[in-house]
Every structure is written in structure tokens, then in C-alpha cells.
Amino acid sequence: MPRLSLFQKCLVVGSISFSIGAFASSQSENLVSQKNRKYSPTDMTIKAGDTVKIVNDDIFLHHAFVDSDNFEFDSGSMEEGDKTEITFTEAGEFQIKCAIHPRMTLNVTVE
């Protein structure tokens, strides 16, 4: 088997690194922040099977929930720094609300 030159080795390593980076950046993070008694962002569109990750970046206690005809979720009380994940398995329109702050709403469209 022939030996690879330094240039060829760098080319192979660079191609692998680029492929890994492109794959990682194609994965959707779907990160949501709870801060100042708001969700940020307030609207998002995801694909069925995707997960929304909610982080309480606030000094206030929060309590995320979804209540719809075909899907339910309840995070329980979330203190500062707490995280929760919601995986939406079916298409539809959903609202993530806060049981403590009723004006907090995140609209999620699942395709």
C-alpha cells in the first residue's frame, strides 16, 4: 500500500473535519430561553420527532406545559438554570405555556 504524503494526509483530515462539522450544524438545536417572563423565541417550526430544549435563564420560577387534544407535557417547577426537553412526535400546532406566568406563550408548529 502506498504511503500518503503530508499534503494528502492533511487533505483527508480536512475532508473528514468538514463532513463532521456540516453534519453537526445541520442538526437543529431548537433551544428556547425563559427570561423576563417570556419565551425566546416566541414562535418556531420544527419537524415531527424533533425536541425543543427549554432553559430557565430567569430569576423567576417557571412551569412549562403543553395541553392539547393529542399531546400533553408538564415540566413541573423549573428554577433558575433548570432545563427540560419536549419531543413532538406528531404534526400540528402547539402552545407551550407557563403555569405561573399565563402571558408566556411559545407557539410551536410541527411539520
Side-chain angles (χ1 to χ4, degrees):
M1 182 168 221
R3 296 182 60 133
L4 294 176
S5 71
L6 180 59
F7 174 75
Q8 290 170 320
K9 289 177 186 177
C10 290
L11 191 59
V12 169
V13 170
S15 296
I16 292 170
S17 297
F18 177 77
S19 297
I20 291 170
F23 175 77
S25 66
S26 71
Q27 301 299 310
S28 182
E29 185 65 25
N30 301 321
L31 187 62
V32 175
S33 173
Q34 296 171 312
K35 190 161 179 107
N36 298 323
R37 298 179 186 164
K38 293 189 272 189
Y39 287 109
S40 180
T42 57
D43 298 281
M44 67 174 25
T45 300
I46 62 174
K47 296 186 185 326
D50 283 356
T51 299
V52 174
K53 299 173 186 176
I54 301 175
V55 179
N56 185 355
D57 292 319
D58 214 339
I59 60 171
F60 301 106
L61 189 68
H62 290 289
H63 186 129
F65 73 94
V66 177
D67 186 15
S68 73
D69 292 339
N70 57 345
F71 184 79
E72 289 186 15
F73 172 84
D74 191 319
S75 70
S77 295
M78 294 178 62
E79 296 184 12
E80 182 177 9
D82 284 352
K83 300 173 178 104
T84 192
E85 295 184 355
I86 308 170
T87 300
F88 291 89
T89 57
E90 295 184 24
E93 300 283 330
F94 302 92
Q95 285 190 332
I96 300 174
K97 305 205 57 94
C98 179
I100 299 168
H101 306 103
R103 293 185 181 172
M104 283 182 68
T105 302
L106 167 61
N107 298 303
V108 179
T109 301
V110 181
E111 298 176 332

